[in-house]
């Protein structure tokens, strides 16, 4: 029997660390650390830290990531928050607080914002190179980052429907930003902002998979993608990140410090949707088509060399081909056409 809220949630996995944009806070200060041009992986897990350094080096500007949830809204959360040195005072949407410190405990009763809050965006990602089924939070307090990430994720969700299983590249790029100055004028400064896009090699891999299935359909997909202005298709190295994730053993959840508990609760995640070829079903279908062919009175059906094939020994592709041929012959017979190629196989 599950304990409600503890053991009845499915497939949970822990937080492994945070991808930050700045240096650590200076000792004894509450000021944010200096802004970097790359990512700083902040984790108390030594093995993960080492794996990150080995894969991406110090302060990389690009990191490969997967998203654990289906939708943009589940993977990316943006709030306004008020923090003291050690704890969250309130979280709101700019008008109404959804979490606020009421004495020693948090309340979730809706209440008007009391001010003093700043934007915070948290994107949950899985970094395949860490080879751990644990998520990493990408943290930003820039309103420009929040808007860009939201746009990028919405676009990918609109195109694919499901963000799981897509290898993304999270990157920092320099952009000119106009900021207000004390004298009322505006100044242009360069900021290294975040963006997230599907990895170009994945787009290539997807196309190869599609091409094997149905060449004419690929042409159509290409047009759709071109209209959606996806990155240009390039050569594909692997595209197998998903397997390294689903094959991993779950790490035991670790206890979080108070900040971590607010920042990233342990969450539920379902594995990326996989649609393996169902051989048993295909064989069953091919036999059924064979019966239909004979019932429809094809004199060739009985003599067809295909009948000698041991279906269980065929590859997935051969099964697909055979099924397609039989289906075409059955529809031709139903339409009253003569089937001439039945014995030529
Ligand atoms: Zn607020």
């Amino acid at each position: 029997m599950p304990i409600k809220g503890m053991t009845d949630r499915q497939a949970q996995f822990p937080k492994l660390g945070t991808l930050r944009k700045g240096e650590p806070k200076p000792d004894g200060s509450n000021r944010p650390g200096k802004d970097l041009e790359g990512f700083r992986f902040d984790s108390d897990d030594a093995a993960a830290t080492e794996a990150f350094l080995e894969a991406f080096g110090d302060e990389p500007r690009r990191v490969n990531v997967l998203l654990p949830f289906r939708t943009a809204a589940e993977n990316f959360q943006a709030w306004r928050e008020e923090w003291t040195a050690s704890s969250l005072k309130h979280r709101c949407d700019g008008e109404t607080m959804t979490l606020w410190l009421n004495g020693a405990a948090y309340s979730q009763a809706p209440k008007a914002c009391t001010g003093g809050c700043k934007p915070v965006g948290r994107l949950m990602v899985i970094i395949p190179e860490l080879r751990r089924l644990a998520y990493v939070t990408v943290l930003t307090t820039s309103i420009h980052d929040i808007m860009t990430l939201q746009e990028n994720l919405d676009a990918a969700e609109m195109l694919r429907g499901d963000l799981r299983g897509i290898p993304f590249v999270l990157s920092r790029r320099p952009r000119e930003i106009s900021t207000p100055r004390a004298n009322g004028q505006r100044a242009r400064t360069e900021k290294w902002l975040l963006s997230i896009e599907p990895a170009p090699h994945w787009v290539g891999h997807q196309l190869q998979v599609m091409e094997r299935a149905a060449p004419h359909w690929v042409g159509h997909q290409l047009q759709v993608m071109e209209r959606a202005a996806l990155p240009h298709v390039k050569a594909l190295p692997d595209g197998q990140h998903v397997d390294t994730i689903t094959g991993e053993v779950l790490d035991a959840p670790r206890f979080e410090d108070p900040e971590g508990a607010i920042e990233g609760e342990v969450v539920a995640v379902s594995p990326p949707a996989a649609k393996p070829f169902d051989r048993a079903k295909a064989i069953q279908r091919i036999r059924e088509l064979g019966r239909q062919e004979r019932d429809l009175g094809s004199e060739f059906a009985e003599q067809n060399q295909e009948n000698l094939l041991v279906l269980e020994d065929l590859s997935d592709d051969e099964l697909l081909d055979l099924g397609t041929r039989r289906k075409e012959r059955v529809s031709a017979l139903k339409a009253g056409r003569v089937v001439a190629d039945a014995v030529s196989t």
Side-chain angles (χ1 to χ4, degrees):
M1 283 287 285
I3 301 171
K4 280 218 160 57
M6 285 193 76
T7 62
D8 60 344
R9 291 180 294 181
Q10 37 168 285
Q12 299 173 359
F13 68 129
K15 180 177 169 176
L16 192 55
T18 307
L19 273 184
R20 296 184 186 275
K21 295 176 65 194
E23 286 178 353
K25 283 174 188 170
D27 274 344
S29 158
N30 197 28
R31 286 180 295 114
K34 186 175 152 267
D35 193 38
L36 300 166
E37 293 180 2
F39 294 101
R40 179 168 66 88
F41 182 59
D42 182 12
S43 169
D44 50 14
D45 187 309
T49 305
E50 197 178 313
F52 185 87
L53 272 176
E54 198 176 301
F56 302 107
D58 202 21
E59 287 174 33
R61 291 178 184 173
R62 295 161 62 87
V63 176
N64 304 328
V65 299
L66 295 168
L67 299 176
F69 299 110
R70 186 183 294 273
T71 63
E74 289 168 291
N75 290 295
F76 183 57
Q77 298 214 337
W79 296 100
R80 292 183 65 87
E81 290 176 357
E82 182 191 9
W83 285 83
T84 63
S86 58
S87 62
L88 177 71
K89 284 190 76 182
H90 87 260
R91 171 183 286 177
C92 73
D93 60 7
E95 291 170 1
T96 309
M97 302 195 288
T98 54
L99 187 72
W100 47 280
L101 199 56
N102 185 18
Y106 283 103
S107 169
Q108 288 179 296
K111 192 180 165 188
C113 167
T114 49
C117 45
K118 290 176 185 164
V120 181
R122 291 184 185 87
L123 175 66
M124 292 179 58
V125 300
I126 293 167
I127 302 178
E129 280 80 355
L130 302 184
R131 307 194 70 79
R132 295 275 292 276
L133 192 56
Y135 72 94
V136 171
T137 305
V138 183
L139 199 60
T140 179
T141 54
S142 155
I143 193 70
H144 300 284
D145 284 341
I146 290 172
M147 289 192 300
T148 306
L149 290 180
Q150 192 70 57
E151 280 168 18
N152 294 160
L153 294 171
D154 285 345
E157 186 187 333
M158 200 170 71
L159 195 68
R160 295 291 306 177
D162 189 341
L163 300 175
R164 295 171 300 177
I166 305 176
F168 282 94
V169 178
L170 178 74
S171 48
R172 294 194 68 176
R173 295 195 188 116
R175 254 171 57 183
E176 290 259 300
I177 286 184
S178 169
T179 46
R181 274 159 53 170
N183 59 10
Q185 292 183 332
R186 296 185 78 84
R188 297 194 74 79
T189 42
E190 188 191 69
K191 291 275 183 192
W192 285 74
L193 297 180
L194 296 180
S195 58
I196 184 168
E197 282 162 346
H201 73 76
W202 176 80
V203 179
H205 178 73
Q206 287 299 106
L207 288 175
Q208 220 192 29
V209 171
M210 290 174 193
E211 213 155 33
R212 258 182 262 136
H216 63 277
W217 188 64
V218 174
H220 175 71
Q221 287 296 306
L222 269 174
Q223 283 176 343
V224 172
M225 286 179 169
E226 247 158 20
R227 261 180 261 135
L230 263 187
H232 187 67
V233 177
K234 282 186 192 164
L236 38 124
D238 56 271
Q240 296 299 313
H241 302 300
V242 185
D243 292 346
T244 66
I245 295 303
T246 52
E248 287 279 324
V249 177
L250 281 170
D251 285 305
R254 289 173 296 143
F255 290 103
E256 305 256 2
D257 56 29
E259 189 187 340
I262 298 299
E263 194 172 290
E265 298 88 332
V266 175
V267 290
V269 65
S270 35
K275 257 197 202 157
F277 179 67
D278 190 340
R279 289 182 58 85
K281 207 170 166 186
I283 289 170
Q284 201 186 358
R285 176 78 182 133
I286 287 168
R287 295 216 165 102
E288 166 61 22
L289 284 166
R291 274 192 292 277
Q292 283 182 26
E293 200 178 355
R294 283 190 294 276
D295 290 347
L296 285 163
S298 167
E299 50 184 316
F300 300 118
E302 293 295 337
Q303 312 155 24
N304 195 337
Q305 297 294 305
E306 278 180 358
N307 295 337
L308 303 175
L309 295 170
V310 180
L311 297 184
E312 281 78 9
D313 289 347
L314 298 182
S315 72
D316 291 357
D317 284 348
E318 288 168 328
L319 283 176
L320 272 171
D321 283 345
L322 180 56
T324 307
R325 283 202 303 277
R326 280 204 176 162
K327 202 173 160 189
E328 277 166 8
R329 290 203 301 265
V330 167
S331 15
L333 284 165
K334 280 180 179 167
R337 291 201 300 275
V338 178
V339 181
D341 69 339
V343 283
S344 64
T345 319

